[in-house]
Amino acid sequence: MGFDDGEPVFADKGHDHAQCKARAISGAEAICLSLDLRLTDLRRQVLEIIWSSHKPIGAYDILESLSAQRGRVAPPTVYRALDFLVSHGIVHRIETLNAFVGCREPGPDHDGQFLICSDCGVAAELNDPQMMAAVVRSIRHAGFQPVRQTIEVSGLCPECLEQSRGE
Amino acid sequence: MGFDDGEPVFADKGHDHAQCKARAISGAEAICLSLDLRLTDLRRQVLEIIWSSHKPIGAYDILESLSAQRGRVAPPTVYRALDFLVSHGIVHRIETLNAFVGCREPGPDHDGQFLICSDCGVAAELNDPQMMAAVVRSIRHAGFQPVRQTIEVSGLCPECLEQSRGE
DNA sequence: AAAGGTATGTTATAGTGTATCGTTCGCGTG
DNA sequence: CACGCGAACGATACACTATAACATACCTTT
Ligand SMILES: [Zn+2]
Ligand SMILES: [Zn+2]
Ligand SMILES: [Zn+2]
Ligand SMILES: [Zn+2]
């Protein structure tokens, strides 16, 4: 299930998040290098802000954080950077939250499936081929040609679930 | 796959849509009767507007249409009616479109899966137990407790697909 | 009739996302 | 180097989506 990197779907509380972020930046650099894209300062800063946690962050929260770094910034600046990052599979948009989250395995043309904790706010990305296959199979029966899929499940992450059982 | 009522997932172009609408209203009436809820004039009018087609409609388009019927109407009026209809499973919200669409099999506590044509705008609702099972199975492996699922797939409906092949 | 809850009206404002235009930057070409 | 071109960015204004807060009307029960 999920990625084949052996990592848990939900990073535990004490994990080395600096490493998460560093790996994400490296991945973005690799993509831009291979596709001849430009990871400008602005885009890199936005990506770093998004990776400041595993919780999806809204465009205007990004804007605020960005303004602290480079002075007054207007919405289009943020949205353009987001468009770039999302269109190249470096960041995902969470439709149910109007928010953005970093991709663990960046690359073109993948939609992922997201588990979003309604308690603590963290989001985890799956990329389960069996789930995707089940969805596509069901859809094809309807004569529908899928292009883009949005799968977002809200609920309780393992930690918050554990906590709720304790009470 | 889908509902067990034998109807096609996508209603064809020449179908009797007045019947779709009438059945939806009847369903809503039945729900309200059984749960002691009030399907007021306002709520019924909003439901009828939503059922004017199989295309998801935005809140402000509903507002405009509603204003034509009962004079100036403010956003909260529409959103409150929508909250009622959505919370009782009579209408679904399409997250990827910020729009609302009528439910074919209204009732509490179901999320459905939606196929949305990016060409003509129609949306069809599935309720495929196999797909849901596959999603839940994959999710449980991550130690996640699902509460609400949002599955929306955009692409081409059978008619638009046929048309695009012809060109 | 009085009371209390539900539904609606009304105004204002919050939150999210784009259109448009002008300027700057990076880079290849003559 | 000067030029030209497209991509990226800055800045202003605006469009679209949704809710807060408070007042009023309605409906049901006592
Ligand atoms: Zn981390
Ligand atoms: Zn949590
Ligand atoms: Zn119909
Ligand atoms: Zn279509």
Side-chain angles (χ1 to χ4, degrees), chain B residues 40 43 70 76-77 80:
Chain B
T40 62
R43 291 166 176 172
R70 37 163 67 211
T77 301
R80 280 190 290 234

mmCIF file of all heavy atoms in Angstrom, chain B residues 40 43 70 76-77 80, chain C residues 6-11:
data_model
loop_
_atom_site.group_PDB
_atom_site.id
_atom_site.type_symbol
_atom_site.label_atom_id
_atom_site.label_comp_id
_atom_site.label_asym_id
_atom_site.label_seq_id
_atom_site.Cartn_x
_atom_site.Cartn_y
_atom_site.Cartn_z
ATOM 1 N N THR B 40 -39.513 23.524 3.684
ATOM 2 C CA THR B 40 -40.227 24.790 3.499
ATOM 3 C C THR B 40 -40.246 25.191 2.020
ATOM 4 O O THR B 40 -39.573 24.577 1.190
ATOM 5 C CB THR B 40 -39.535 25.896 4.306
ATOM 6 O OG1 THR B 40 -38.207 26.049 3.797
ATOM 7 C CG2 THR B 40 -39.489 25.545 5.776
ATOM 8 N N ARG B 43 -36.725 26.024 0.808
ATOM 9 C CA ARG B 43 -35.889 24.840 0.596
ATOM 10 C C ARG B 43 -36.344 24.071 -0.630
ATOM 11 O O ARG B 43 -35.517 23.571 -1.402
ATOM 12 C CB ARG B 43 -35.953 23.947 1.845
ATOM 13 C CG ARG B 43 -35.260 24.581 3.032
ATOM 14 C CD ARG B 43 -35.611 23.893 4.329
ATOM 15 N NE ARG B 43 -34.864 24.461 5.447
ATOM 16 C CZ ARG B 43 -35.085 24.157 6.717
ATOM 17 N NH1 ARG B 43 -36.044 23.296 7.043
ATOM 18 N NH2 ARG B 43 -34.367 24.707 7.663
ATOM 19 N N ARG B 70 -38.559 35.167 -5.986
ATOM 20 C CA ARG B 70 -39.092 35.761 -4.758
ATOM 21 C C ARG B 70 -38.465 37.103 -4.406
ATOM 22 O O ARG B 70 -38.442 37.502 -3.243
ATOM 23 C CB ARG B 70 -38.927 34.802 -3.571
ATOM 24 C CG ARG B 70 -37.668 33.973 -3.521
ATOM 25 C CD ARG B 70 -37.446 33.406 -2.130
ATOM 26 N NE ARG B 70 -38.428 32.421 -1.731
ATOM 27 C CZ ARG B 70 -38.817 32.216 -0.466
ATOM 28 N NH1 ARG B 70 -38.333 32.967 0.493
ATOM 29 N NH2 ARG B 70 -39.686 31.291 -0.170
ATOM 30 N N PRO B 76 -26.895 34.426 2.665
ATOM 31 C CA PRO B 76 -27.166 33.485 3.767
ATOM 32 C C PRO B 76 -28.440 32.681 3.561
ATOM 33 O O PRO B 76 -28.528 31.524 3.984
ATOM 34 C CB PRO B 76 -27.298 34.398 4.989
ATOM 35 C CG PRO B 76 -26.482 35.589 4.641
ATOM 36 C CD PRO B 76 -26.689 35.788 3.165
ATOM 37 N N THR B 77 -29.416 33.290 2.925
ATOM 38 C CA THR B 77 -30.662 32.575 2.654
ATOM 39 C C THR B 77 -30.394 31.315 1.842
ATOM 40 O O THR B 77 -30.892 30.230 2.157
ATOM 41 C CB THR B 77 -31.632 33.494 1.886
ATOM 42 O OG1 THR B 77 -31.875 34.659 2.677
ATOM 43 C CG2 THR B 77 -32.932 32.795 1.589
ATOM 44 N N ARG B 80 -28.124 28.742 3.817
ATOM 45 C CA ARG B 80 -28.842 28.008 4.869
ATOM 46 C C ARG B 80 -29.689 26.890 4.279
ATOM 47 O O ARG B 80 -29.724 25.771 4.807
ATOM 48 C CB ARG B 80 -29.691 28.962 5.694
ATOM 49 C CG ARG B 80 -28.861 29.705 6.725
ATOM 50 C CD ARG B 80 -29.723 30.475 7.713
ATOM 51 N NE ARG B 80 -30.362 31.612 7.064
ATOM 52 C CZ ARG B 80 -30.272 32.876 7.494
ATOM 53 N NH1 ARG B 80 -29.552 33.159 8.560
ATOM 54 N NH2 ARG B 80 -30.900 33.842 6.878
ATOM 55 P P DT C 6 -34.771 24.018 17.761
ATOM 56 O OP1 DT C 6 -34.587 22.556 17.762
ATOM 57 O OP2 DT C 6 -33.677 24.946 18.082
ATOM 58 O "O5'" DT C 6 -35.335 24.443 16.334
ATOM 59 C "C5'" DT C 6 -36.617 24.005 15.941
ATOM 60 C "C4'" DT C 6 -37.059 24.775 14.720
ATOM 61 O "O4'" DT C 6 -37.415 26.131 15.102
ATOM 62 C "C3'" DT C 6 -35.996 24.908 13.631
ATOM 63 O "O3'" DT C 6 -36.575 24.498 12.409
ATOM 64 C "C2'" DT C 6 -35.627 26.389 13.654
ATOM 65 C "C1'" DT C 6 -36.939 27.013 14.127
ATOM 66 N N1 DT C 6 -36.822 28.350 14.770
ATOM 67 C C2 DT C 6 -37.613 29.385 14.313
ATOM 68 O O2 DT C 6 -38.390 29.262 13.376
ATOM 69 N N3 DT C 6 -37.447 30.575 14.979
ATOM 70 C C4 DT C 6 -36.604 30.835 16.045
ATOM 71 O O4 DT C 6 -36.552 31.933 16.544
ATOM 72 C C5 DT C 6 -35.808 29.706 16.477
ATOM 73 C C7 DT C 6 -34.855 29.879 17.619
ATOM 74 C C6 DT C 6 -35.950 28.518 15.831
ATOM 75 P P DA C 7 -35.761 24.405 11.067
ATOM 76 O OP1 DA C 7 -36.329 23.307 10.270
ATOM 77 O OP2 DA C 7 -34.329 24.430 11.397
ATOM 78 O "O5'" DA C 7 -36.115 25.779 10.330
ATOM 79 C "C5'" DA C 7 -37.477 26.074 10.067
ATOM 80 C "C4'" DA C 7 -37.587 27.474 9.485
ATOM 81 O "O4'" DA C 7 -37.353 28.446 10.523
ATOM 82 C "C3'" DA C 7 -36.597 27.793 8.371
ATOM 83 O "O3'" DA C 7 -37.345 28.169 7.223
ATOM 84 C "C2'" DA C 7 -35.743 28.923 8.919
ATOM 85 C "C1'" DA C 7 -36.646 29.532 9.963
ATOM 86 N N9 DA C 7 -35.968 30.193 11.073
ATOM 87 C C8 DA C 7 -35.050 29.655 11.931
ATOM 88 N N7 DA C 7 -34.608 30.485 12.845
ATOM 89 C C5 DA C 7 -35.276 31.655 12.572
ATOM 90 C C6 DA C 7 -35.247 32.923 13.185
ATOM 91 N N6 DA C 7 -34.488 33.217 14.235
ATOM 92 N N1 DA C 7 -36.059 33.883 12.660
ATOM 93 C C2 DA C 7 -36.824 33.590 11.595
ATOM 94 N N3 DA C 7 -36.929 32.434 10.942
ATOM 95 C C4 DA C 7 -36.127 31.499 11.489
ATOM 96 P P DT C 8 -36.597 28.558 5.892
ATOM 97 O OP1 DT C 8 -37.481 28.203 4.779
ATOM 98 O OP2 DT C 8 -35.229 28.038 5.968
ATOM 99 O "O5'" DT C 8 -36.539 30.160 5.994
ATOM 100 C "C5'" DT C 8 -37.738 30.893 6.050
ATOM 101 C "C4'" DT C 8 -37.437 32.360 6.270
ATOM 102 O "O4'" DT C 8 -36.752 32.526 7.517
ATOM 103 C "C3'" DT C 8 -36.541 32.996 5.213
ATOM 104 O "O3'" DT C 8 -37.283 34.020 4.564
ATOM 105 C "C2'" DT C 8 -35.337 33.524 5.997
ATOM 106 C "C1'" DT C 8 -35.909 33.631 7.406
ATOM 107 N N1 DT C 8 -34.899 33.549 8.494
ATOM 108 C C2 DT C 8 -34.752 34.613 9.348
ATOM 109 O O2 DT C 8 -35.398 35.643 9.251
ATOM 110 N N3 DT C 8 -33.805 34.439 10.332
ATOM 111 C C4 DT C 8 -33.016 33.329 10.530
ATOM 112 O O4 DT C 8 -32.197 33.287 11.448
ATOM 113 C C5 DT C 8 -33.224 32.247 9.602
ATOM 114 C C7 DT C 8 -32.423 30.987 9.728
ATOM 115 C C6 DT C 8 -34.148 32.397 8.645
ATOM 116 P P DG C 9 -36.575 34.946 3.482
ATOM 117 O OP1 DG C 9 -37.619 35.347 2.508
ATOM 118 O OP2 DG C 9 -35.313 34.308 3.018
ATOM 119 O "O5'" DG C 9 -36.176 36.234 4.339
ATOM 120 C "C5'" DG C 9 -37.212 36.994 4.954
ATOM 121 C "C4'" DG C 9 -36.660 38.319 5.495
ATOM 122 O "O4'" DG C 9 -35.799 38.054 6.639
ATOM 123 C "C3'" DG C 9 -35.798 39.115 4.513
ATOM 124 O "O3'" DG C 9 -36.103 40.497 4.687
ATOM 125 C "C2'" DG C 9 -34.361 38.784 4.946
ATOM 126 C "C1'" DG C 9 -34.517 38.627 6.451
ATOM 127 N N9 DG C 9 -33.564 37.726 7.083
ATOM 128 C C8 DG C 9 -33.349 36.417 6.763
ATOM 129 N N7 DG C 9 -32.440 35.838 7.515
ATOM 130 C C5 DG C 9 -32.033 36.843 8.384
ATOM 131 C C6 DG C 9 -31.074 36.820 9.415
ATOM 132 O O6 DG C 9 -30.368 35.874 9.787
ATOM 133 N N1 DG C 9 -30.965 38.062 10.043
ATOM 134 C C2 DG C 9 -31.697 39.173 9.715
ATOM 135 N N2 DG C 9 -31.454 40.266 10.429
ATOM 136 N N3 DG C 9 -32.604 39.203 8.756
ATOM 137 C C4 DG C 9 -32.720 38.011 8.126
ATOM 138 P P DT C 10 -35.553 41.589 3.728
ATOM 139 O OP1 DT C 10 -36.507 42.708 3.740
ATOM 140 O OP2 DT C 10 -35.201 40.935 2.448
ATOM 141 O "O5'" DT C 10 -34.197 42.047 4.443
ATOM 142 C "C5'" DT C 10 -34.227 42.383 5.819
ATOM 143 C "C4'" DT C 10 -32.889 42.969 6.250
ATOM 144 O "O4'" DT C 10 -32.106 41.938 6.913
ATOM 145 C "C3'" DT C 10 -32.013 43.508 5.109
ATOM 146 O "O3'" DT C 10 -31.635 44.830 5.421
ATOM 147 C "C2'" DT C 10 -30.833 42.541 5.053
ATOM 148 C "C1'" DT C 10 -30.771 42.019 6.491
ATOM 149 N N1 DT C 10 -30.190 40.659 6.635
ATOM 150 C C2 DT C 10 -29.286 40.414 7.664
ATOM 151 O O2 DT C 10 -28.940 41.270 8.460
ATOM 152 N N3 DT C 10 -28.824 39.133 7.729
ATOM 153 C C4 DT C 10 -29.144 38.093 6.878
ATOM 154 O O4 DT C 10 -28.645 36.971 7.022
ATOM 155 C C5 DT C 10 -30.075 38.410 5.833
ATOM 156 C C7 DT C 10 -30.480 37.343 4.864
ATOM 157 C C6 DT C 10 -30.555 39.668 5.762
ATOM 158 P P DT C 11 -30.869 45.728 4.338
ATOM 159 O OP1 DT C 11 -31.465 47.061 4.395
ATOM 160 O OP2 DT C 11 -30.767 45.001 3.057
ATOM 161 O "O5'" DT C 11 -29.410 45.811 4.971
ATOM 162 C "C5'" DT C 11 -29.273 46.098 6.361
ATOM 163 C "C4'" DT C 11 -27.855 45.809 6.810
ATOM 164 O "O4'" DT C 11 -27.674 44.385 6.959
ATOM 165 C "C3'" DT C 11 -26.760 46.280 5.847
ATOM 166 O "O3'" DT C 11 -25.955 47.239 6.517
ATOM 167 C "C2'" DT C 11 -25.992 45.012 5.480
ATOM 168 C "C1'" DT C 11 -26.333 44.076 6.633
ATOM 169 N N1 DT C 11 -26.287 42.634 6.284
ATOM 170 C C2 DT C 11 -25.596 41.773 7.101
ATOM 171 O O2 DT C 11 -25.011 42.126 8.092
ATOM 172 N N3 DT C 11 -25.623 40.461 6.696
ATOM 173 C C4 DT C 11 -26.248 39.944 5.589
ATOM 174 O O4 DT C 11 -26.191 38.752 5.326
ATOM 175 C C5 DT C 11 -26.954 40.908 4.777
ATOM 176 C C7 DT C 11 -27.666 40.455 3.536
ATOM 177 C C6 DT C 11 -26.946 42.197 5.157
#
